[in-house]
Amino acid sequence: MENLDSRLARLEQSYRRMQIVALSSLTLAGLGLAAAVLKEEGHTGELAVSRLTLKDAQGHARATLSANAEGDTGLVLTDAEGRPRALLGVSQDGSPKLRFSTAHGTTLAELIVYSDEAPRLAFSKNGGVEFFSVGMFPDGSSRLELADEDGRPRAILGADEHGSPGLLLVDRLGQPRATLRVSPSNNASLVLEGLDGAVFHAPTPVQ
């Protein structure tokens, strides 16, 4: 006749087998439910959300990845006070951009690409006035601008669609004062304009 110890050992083994079976059943049921939800939503295993936020140890949002109904998508990084400081995004027209801002929201630097082939980089002062920009246009021409404290372009260096370079210096009233250019035919020219209306040309225009 089976003693008590043997019966207890056999019951314990049966109990453990039941635990394993129950745990396996729950796991399979959970996987089945998750698969059903993903199938119902039309996904194939990925996590699909319209907004994802990462928080620090104090519970402050520090990074937000989102996509809105207008078609804009982006990643925004904030400081410890919750103020946006950096943005990496794509606008609804497909233009990617990278932007850095002050704690008060003023843009200091921005890189953006238009029309798949027209990048532009701009730097601004803390007050928001843009003082430097360089970019390329869809026609192949390029342009670099230096502005004064009021944001008025004062020195413009550029090249046309053929690569012919030119330099233009402008006064505070927006009037050209000096122009240096090399034409597509490799002819160089210099034009200086004085306040009294006098104009100096080099080479001298043919009369």
Side-chain angles (χ1 to χ4, degrees), residues 187-201:
N187 293 318
S189 64
L190 173 64
V191 178
L192 303 177
E193 301 184 25
L195 290 175
D196 56 358
V199 179
F200 169 79
H201 289 270

Side-chain angles (χ1 to χ4, degrees), residues 19-139:
Q19 282 184 316
I20 294 174
V21 172
L23 181 59
S24 301
S25 300
L26 289 175
T27 302
L28 292 175
L31 293 175
L33 179 61
V37 172
L38 292 174
K39 182 178 180 181
E40 180 70 20
E41 294 181 355
H43 301 296
T44 58
E46 74 274 14
L47 175 64
V49 295
S50 59
R51 185 181 182 90
L52 180 64
T53 301
L54 299 181
K55 296 184 178 181
D56 59 19
Q58 289 71 40
H60 300 145
R62 301 301 301 272
T64 302
L65 178 63
S66 62
N68 58 33
E70 289 74 24
D72 297 323
T73 59
L75 172 64
V76 178
L77 304 180
T78 60
D79 59 20
E81 302 299 326
R83 295 170 297 200
R85 301 301 300 272
L87 165 69
L88 173 62
V90 178
S91 61
Q92 56 182 335
D93 64 357
S95 299
K97 57 185 174 182
L98 177 63
R99 180 184 300 162
F100 300 97
S101 304
T102 66
H104 300 289
T106 302
T107 299
L108 292 179
E110 182 178 59
L111 173 62
I112 187 169
V113 179
Y114 300 98
S115 305
D116 291 335
E117 55 186 4
R120 183 177 187 270
L121 173 65
F123 297 144
S124 301
K125 296 181 179 180
N126 196 357
V129 177
E130 188 175 290
F131 68 89
F132 172 88
S133 67
V134 58
M136 179 176 288
F137 298 91
D139 63 357

